[in-house]
Amino acid sequence: MAVLLGAVLGATLLLPAATAQADQDKSNVRATTTSTAPLASGESAWVAVSWTADQTVHDWSTTVTAPAGVAVAYPTTRGGGDTSLYGSATLVGATTDFTAFRLAVPHAQRTSFPVTVTSTYSRCGDNGQCKDQGIGNDGRTGSVTVTVTVPVGPAAGPPFTQDTTRVSITAGSDGFQQLSFTGGQADLADFRVQVGALPAGLEVAYPGGRTASSPAGGSGLPGRRTDQVGLRLVATGLAPGTYTLPLSISWTAAHPTTTNGTVTLVVN
Amino acid sequence: MSSTEPSSPTRRRGRAGAASALVALALALTTGGCAATADEPSTAGSAVPGAVPADDLTRRLAAVEAARQCAVTTTTFPDETALTTDLDDRLAADGLSHAQWKEWHDALVHSPDLVAQLVEVSAPGCAGA
């Protein structure tokens, strides 16, 4: 019995060392990617960084620091101040999960750049779980910071696509018609559409009394998103038939650009 | 079984019980009183209360998740919802729903068998990685 008690007391005396060992972060949280998906100059998009760990960690939070000119945004569901893992804030040990964030690359950014990604986490859940794992106040949280490369290349494909190429109206009508456009890979600023030479009997007006029409969602046409521009067609003097209306479409990417387009107007 | 049961019939068994209790106390103190210590891999053990067993359905969900994890870092998404649309498209292609995935994903944290299955399904790694 005395020997047993001695062993017990000996083990108890080792308690501080054992607790200190438990306080060491052995979760081995680490990023499994060194670069994000490539972005184009002028593109804004969500990208992801993957993480894994040997042990389960909780309350995951990630923030990203990017070079000047590159804007970072986080999910609105978390208030916009940080991002977390997809589906939960827990990274289960031995599994992989990712954090997503939005990067807006300026048109002037032509080369790859690094972002600093910092993730913080709790090694145990609530106070009871921390106590159960022998983790004191000082060891409850951990963090890891990695540098991830964001490859950048030129935008591929056309700067935008004109989705609406044909509009039908009734003779003598006066109303707004919507022309739909979808952005290419990069964001286009100051996107404007103006109708050129008009057939006799047709007048065109623009929203707000302006000289051209901009997308309904804002002045620009974001990459890979669809928006509409409104044209008021006053056809009170236009005979039934099919007309080709010339369009002047302008935007600013790396520099201001204007191109010509057409829309077919069918008057019934 | 508790070694300090008051119904222990003999003094010898009582002493043995007391000694066992001391050992248990010491072990509880040194391990934080938890069956699984912080040093153990989270996938260890299978008798976890509330754990979801692995089956064919969870294997299919794990396969979708593994493929998505491989693709997500090489893909850009035009908006926030596109991340979920991508997942849902992958699930739908295998006749699975987002609700099934969410239930499975939430169960991972307390289901060692699901984690082991996901690790197994993910073991081949990502093509081209």
Side-chain angles (χ1 to χ4, degrees), chain A residues 4 15 37 46 55 86 132 224, chain B residues 19 29 32 34 38 73 76-77 84:
Chain A
L4 184 59
L15 180 60
W46 291 78
Q55 298 173 346
Y86 187 91
D132 285 347
R224 292 190 283 173
Chain B
L29 288 170
C34 186
T73 55
T76 61
F77 300 89
T84 298

Side-chain angles (χ1 to χ4, degrees), chain A residues 94-158:
Chain A
T95 72
T96 298
D97 207 345
F98 65 88
T99 55
F101 48 91
R102 182 178 181 271
L103 294 176
V105 181
H107 287 279
Q109 181 72 43
R110 305 292 176 87
T111 58
S112 301
F113 59 88
V115 292
T116 302
V117 185
T118 299
S119 292
T120 62
Y121 52 86
S122 166
R123 295 169 52 211
C124 40
D126 56 26
N127 286 341
Q129 290 173 306
C130 294
K131 186 178 177 183
D132 285 347
Q133 294 181 35
I135 299 174
N137 289 334
D138 293 341
R140 292 187 179 185
T141 59
S143 69
V144 58
T145 298
V146 298
T147 299
V148 176
T149 299
V150 181
V152 175

Side-chain angles (χ1 to χ4, degrees), chain A residues 18-34:
Chain A
T19 302
Q21 189 177 27
D23 278 355
Q24 291 178 4
D25 187 352
K26 296 181 179 176
S27 59
N28 194 21
V29 171
R30 57 201 183 277
T32 60
T33 49
T34 56

